[in-house]
Amino acid sequence: MSAFTPASEVLLRHSDDFTESRVLFAGDMQDDLPARFDTAASRAHTQQFHHWQVLSAQMGENAQYGLVAGADIVADSNTLIYYWPKNKPEAQFQLMNILSLMPIGTDVFVVGENRSGVRSAEQMLADICPLTKIDSARRCGLYHGRLEQQPAFDENGWWDEYPHDEMTVKTLPGVFSRDGLDTGSKLLLSTLTPHTKGKVLDVGCGAGVLAITLASHSPKVRLTLSDVSAPAVAASRATLAANGIEGEVIASNVYSEINGRFDMIISNPPFHDGMQTSLDAAHQLIRGAARHLNMGGELRIVANAFLAYPNVLDEVFGSHEVIAQTGRFKVYRAVLTRAGKKR
């Protein structure tokens, strides 16, 4: 996260305007500009654990990770710089939360890539904080307005749910598979046989659909779920609770907070970080699996067929097999044949 994103580069064009401002940064912060920007005071709130790791190393307690921002992180901030994510409901959740805590007259800046739909910020905030576009560069837009009316925000009103195989899936804005089970995960689930036993780690758990489906036909599994997304962590915990299924849910950047070894690691790994294509998480998932699998344990992942994972799997495990595929997706299986070592 050393190089600045296009959105941050646009903000830097206006850096002189913020030297006397007490700024709260929020949204899809994919670099460390909040820690390096010249301001009177800087704080940051993020729902992404891997972004928090980078920012907290430089900002300490002035960087906060969690589902919702609290009054403690807003503190005496008089300016909001919000990085627009690619998911509009996620942006609305975050903006309504933060703006409900900020004083009338707060300077609000929204920045994001045009392809992310940042233009819709104007309509979203029209009634409480009318925005004007003040810059356009690097295929990004920068908008400014002043908060005229604090919005009401009730976290409980943002929850949703849907049925899946006679179970209930709890969801929040910004959670992968929020509206239903995606095609890739369905293919992965089709390969999981009943009566699976042992410790199973679901990396990038989203709303927890993989875990509860596995537990429904393999009640003896011991589940650990992890995700970088605070909404996903909250949703998975709620999904487990709604279905009476036990399991631990951890905020973790792939394996950063994971201890111990497992008999199976399952994942539908992301290949985007925000709007940017990134295979970093998937490569970390594969390369780190040997340190978190028992002897004979397996990694089972689903991925778009065009993604080049076989070479990495063979490098780490010595071999792999494709156990299911469609025109778009493949499910890869790799078994650890020597504990913690490549074959």
Side-chain angles (χ1 to χ4, degrees):
M1 287 175 87
S2 58
F4 289 136
T5 63
S8 287
E9 290 180 348
V10 172
L11 284 171
L12 283 169
R13 289 155 56 101
H14 302 264
S15 58
D16 291 344
D17 297 336
F18 296 96
T19 56
E20 303 299 320
S21 300
R22 298 185 301 276
V23 181
L24 174 64
F25 292 86
D28 191 21
M29 299 172 287
Q30 295 183 42
D31 57 37
D32 63 352
L33 179 71
R36 298 164 62 180
F37 215 40
D38 184 14
T39 68
S42 291
R43 298 172 181 270
H45 177 269
T46 177
Q47 291 185 336
Q48 300 298 316
F49 189 78
H50 56 314
H51 295 171
W52 172 81
Q53 285 179 308
V54 171
L55 294 172
S56 64
Q58 301 173 68
M59 301 176 70
E61 293 183 355
N62 287 329
Q64 183 187 78
Y65 163 80
L67 177 61
V68 295
D72 57 331
I73 196 66
V74 172
D76 61 350
S77 301
N78 59 14
T79 301
L80 172 66
I81 294 180
Y82 183 79
Y83 285 78
W84 189 265
K86 65 179 180 180
N87 184 287
K88 184 177 176 180
E90 177 184 351
Q92 189 170 21
F93 179 97
Q94 294 172 356
L95 283 167
M96 295 305 107
N97 165 211
I98 292 168
L99 292 177
S100 72
L101 300 170
M102 301 198 78
I104 300 299
T106 293
D107 279 301
V108 177
F109 295 85
V110 178
V111 64
E113 295 190 39
N114 295 328
R115 60 179 176 153
S116 71
V118 66
R119 296 181 186 91
S120 60
E122 290 183 277
Q123 181 179 2
M124 182 183 295
L125 300 180
D127 293 336
I128 61 171
C129 180
L131 297 177
T132 301
K133 193 174 194 179
I134 60 172
D135 200 357
S136 181
R138 300 300 310 276
R139 298 180 180 176
C140 294
L142 175 62
Y143 299 81
H144 170 255
R146 285 190 172 87
L147 186 63
E148 296 181 355
Q149 177 183 336
Q150 285 182 321
F153 178 79
D154 177 7
E155 176 191 338
N156 295 326
W158 293 84
W159 284 90
D160 202 353
E161 64 181 51
Y162 62 87
H164 171 69
D165 287 351
E166 299 183 353
M167 294 177 288
T168 299
V169 179
K170 297 285 189 176
T171 65
L172 282 165
V175 177
F176 182 67
S177 67
R178 179 191 177 204
D179 300 316
L181 189 61
D182 62 288
T183 304
S185 294
K186 285 180 181 178
L187 186 64
L188 176 58
L189 281 175
S190 73
T191 71
L192 297 175
T193 57
H195 311 301
T196 299
K197 298 179 182 179
K199 296 173 64 179
V200 177
L201 172 64
D202 178 1
V203 178
C205 56
V209 186
L210 291 178
I212 63 167
T213 305
L214 176 61
S216 70
H217 60 60
S218 299
K220 292 187 178 181
V221 296
R222 286 169 287 164
L223 295 170
T224 301
L225 292 70
S226 73
D227 208 296
V228 294
S229 162
V233 170
S236 283
R237 286 174 178 159
T239 295
L240 291 178
N243 296 281
I245 295 172
E246 293 187 3
E248 184 178 16
V249 186
I250 300 170
S252 181
N253 180 7
V254 193
Y255 300 114
S256 69
E257 312 304 307
I258 302 298
N259 297 312
R261 293 179 178 267
F262 299 84
D263 300 297
M264 178 184 288
I265 299 172
I266 59 175
S267 184
N268 182 354
F271 60 97
H272 289 96
D273 188 355
M275 294 299 298
Q276 313 305 318
T277 299
S278 174
L279 301 182
D280 289 350
H283 284 174
Q284 291 176 40
L285 173 73
I286 297 170
R287 295 186 188 282
R291 296 191 302 273
H292 292 280
L293 283 170
N294 291 318
M295 175 80 80
E298 68 170 90
L299 172 69
R300 192 176 300 198
I301 62 174
V302 62
N304 288 68
F306 67 84
L307 295 173
Y309 293 154
N311 290 342
V312 184
L313 287 164
D314 290 346
E315 177 187 337
V316 175
F317 290 91
S319 65
H320 74 279
E321 59 181 321
V322 177
I323 58 175
Q325 62 181 319
T326 65
R328 290 183 57 202
F329 297 99
K330 291 182 178 180
V331 176
Y332 298 99
R333 179 178 182 266
V335 178
L336 186 67
T337 57
R338 196 178 301 170
K341 299 178 181 179
K342 302 173 187 175
R343 187 168 69 180

